[in-house]
Amino acid sequence: MAHELVYTVTGSWPFPLDMLRYDRSRAATPEDQSKIDALSSDYAANREAIRDEVSITLVMQQMHKFAAPATARWESFGWKVPSDAQFYASKLQENRRKEQDAIVETALKKLTPAEREAIEQRMDRP
């Protein structure tokens, strides 16, 4: 039995129509469908369509109760799924890890070869 999940996406022109198929979603209301139609045209209606962020509520047909929107894929089109707290928390954690790795690499480059070897051995790094 399919479940429905209501979620909101935010972004600006162009709307990635294929995401509706990918997420098995549809507009929640006629107003949301109007927004999708306006943002799905080949050309932006005006500068505001490109510049201004809009929110569109969608309804996903879940094949199982744990199915969720493909937030990373939405982001690849420049759209967000603000309610996906788990995605954004893991993204934040990954960004922090990358920043810390860069700091460690910069610090290690300042050391002599012997100092670097000693530190890397203590860090269990090759």
Side-chain angles (χ1 to χ4, degrees):
M1 181 170 102
H3 301 276
E4 289 189 340
L5 171 70
V6 177
Y7 65 103
T8 300
V9 294
T10 59
S12 57
W13 182 89
F15 181 84
L17 272 178
D18 189 55
M19 285 304 299
L20 297 177
R21 177 199 58 80
Y22 193 87
D23 272 354
R24 296 183 174 163
S25 297
R26 60 178 165 73
T29 67
E31 292 79 18
D32 291 310
Q33 185 60 54
S34 292
K35 291 177 189 178
I36 292 170
D37 294 342
L39 295 171
S40 300
S41 60
D42 290 338
Y43 302 97
N46 50 44
R47 290 182 187 199
E48 288 77 26
I50 297 170
R51 185 179 58 218
D52 294 346
E53 188 172 272
V54 298
S55 294
I56 299 174
T57 303
L58 302 173
V59 178
M60 170 190 264
Q61 296 299 313
Q62 295 177 296
M63 299 313 286
H64 55 81
K65 65 180 178 179
F66 301 111
T71 304
R73 193 160 191 265
W74 277 103
E75 283 212 335
S76 75
F77 290 105
W79 284 71
K80 296 180 179 110
V81 182
S83 62
D84 194 345
Q86 183 178 355
F87 173 82
Y88 292 108
S90 71
K91 186 175 177 179
L92 180 63
Q93 184 178 10
E94 176 67 15
N95 288 341
R96 283 184 184 153
R97 188 192 60 75
K98 285 179 182 178
E99 289 172 4
Q100 290 172 349
D101 286 350
I103 290 168
V104 168
E105 279 305 311
T106 300
L108 289 173
K109 287 178 183 177
K110 296 176 183 178
L111 303 174
T112 66
E115 292 169 333
R116 183 178 176 121
E117 181 181 356
I119 297 295
E120 286 179 336
Q121 284 179 352
R122 293 287 173 107
M123 293 172 55
D124 291 327
R125 286 178 54 149

